[in-house]
């Protein structure tokens, strides 16, 4: 899969790229490109944003800046999905992550400042997406959230024997994980559930399924 992230802060992604599972799939299952709007802006001095018409605080990412970035990268409007990260978008959930992880190519547009000129969302993007009902100062964190969530669904992202497979299948069913515990078996009187210490794999598996089902129902 190829994901192109358009941003003004490409270096913000350096940490994420070093982490599993992203680091595992980079260069194999995932080709991640970080593209800076400033490198293709048609405006002088690397300008990408402007004051909003009608006044108001903050700057708005310009439509011509984003159109130029897409033209320079794809030679015109891309044929694949273009996500604009905005608090007004469809809320990201595991079902949308699953859907996006099946795409061959994906473009993610992030904005800084007060956000996008609305024409970017209306005409250049196909999917406005929010990562939650709160407002962040830019689209970089949402883009990283989205890339991380998608990357862990790509083949080979989750290591064998780490317990990730159970997580994986719970997620596939739209559910949540069961609770995890590790040593010590008791701490300040807080005990690990007896079933996990029983060594009875069938009982443990049944308990985990039930916990996962109960969490999902909640
Ligand atoms: N940009 C600012 N806040 C956001 C959010 N909650 N989701 C996506 N993009 C954003």
């Amino acid at each position: 899969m190829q994901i192109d992230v358009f941003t003004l802060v490409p270096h913000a992604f350096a940490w994420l790229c070093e982490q599993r599972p992203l680091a595992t799939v980079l260069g194999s299952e995932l080709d991640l490109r970080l593209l800076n709007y400033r490198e293709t802006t048609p405006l002088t001095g690397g300008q990408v944003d402007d004051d909003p018409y009608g006044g108001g605080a903050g700057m708005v990412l310009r439509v011509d800046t984003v159109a130029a970035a897409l033209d320079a990268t794809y030679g015109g409007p891309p044929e694949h999905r273009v996500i604009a990260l905005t608090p007004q978008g469809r809320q990201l959930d595991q079902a949308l992550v699953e859907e996006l992880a099946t795409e061959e190519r994906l473009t993610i547009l992030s904005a800084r400042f007060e956000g996008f000129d609305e024409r970017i969302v209306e005409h250049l993007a196909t999917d406005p997406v929010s990562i939650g009902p709160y407002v962040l100062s830019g689209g970089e964190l949402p883009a990283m959230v989205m890339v991380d969530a998608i990357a862990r669904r790509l083949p080979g992202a989750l290591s064998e024997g780490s317990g990730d497979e159970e997580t994986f299948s719970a997620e596939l069913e739209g559910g949540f994980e069961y609770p995890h515990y590790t040593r010590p078996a008791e701490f300040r009187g807080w005990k690990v559930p007896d079933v996990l210490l029983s060594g009875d794999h069938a009982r443990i598996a049944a308990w985990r399924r039930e916990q996962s089902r109960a969490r999902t129902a909640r």
Side-chain angles (χ1 to χ4, degrees), residues 12-215:
F13 294 78
W15 165 81
L16 184 67
C17 291
E18 290 168 0
Q19 307 300 312
R20 272 200 336 135
L22 195 60
T24 312
V25 292
L26 274 182
S28 53
E29 287 297 325
L30 179 63
D31 178 13
L32 177 68
R33 297 196 296 180
L34 301 166
L35 301 140
N36 192 336
Y37 297 115
R38 284 197 208 282
E39 295 195 349
T40 47
T41 182
L43 307 171
T44 53
Q47 186 189 348
V48 292
D49 57 338
D50 226 323
D51 298 314
Y53 278 124
M59 303 289 269
V60 175
L61 190 62
R62 287 176 57 131
V63 63
D64 46 1
T65 297
V66 176
L70 296 175
D71 287 350
T73 308
Y74 308 114
E79 290 182 0
H80 55 268
R81 288 169 89 167
V82 178
I83 292 175
L85 289 164
T86 160
Q88 282 82 43
R90 167 181 172 187
Q91 199 159 309
L92 184 68
D93 57 13
Q94 194 62 35
L96 181 53
V97 169
E98 303 301 336
E99 192 184 307
L100 296 175
T102 65
E103 301 285 343
E104 278 284 300
R105 297 186 80 175
L106 211 55
T107 288
I108 300 177
L109 304 176
S110 58
R112 281 254 117 209
F113 333 114
E114 287 307 298
F116 297 105
D117 181 305
E118 194 58 23
R119 291 167 291 185
I120 297 168
V121 180
E122 277 175 16
H123 302 291
L124 299 180
T126 57
D127 299 73
V129 174
S130 161
I131 64 155
Y134 40 79
V135 181
L136 297 165
S137 314
E140 284 71 34
L141 289 170
M144 284 192 250
V145 166
M146 187 175 256
V147 168
D148 181 84
I150 293 172
R152 61 198 304 286
R153 305 320 313 267
L154 299 178
L158 302 181
S159 59
E160 278 175 41
S162 67
D164 289 339
E165 302 89 342
E166 287 86 351
T167 308
F168 185 84
S169 52
E171 283 170 15
L172 267 185
E173 288 154 23
F176 293 99
E177 265 186 275
Y178 51 77
H180 295 87
Y181 296 88
T182 187
R183 283 181 281 266
E186 183 172 344
F187 181 71
R188 295 186 180 165
W190 307 323
K191 290 187 176 154
V192 170
D194 284 340
V195 56
L196 296 179
L197 309 176
S198 69
D200 181 340
H201 295 297
R203 261 185 76 210
I204 293 172
W207 181 86
R208 285 177 166 170
R209 273 195 303 277
E210 174 50 26
Q211 292 287 317
S212 172
R213 193 204 58 73
R215 281 188 168 188

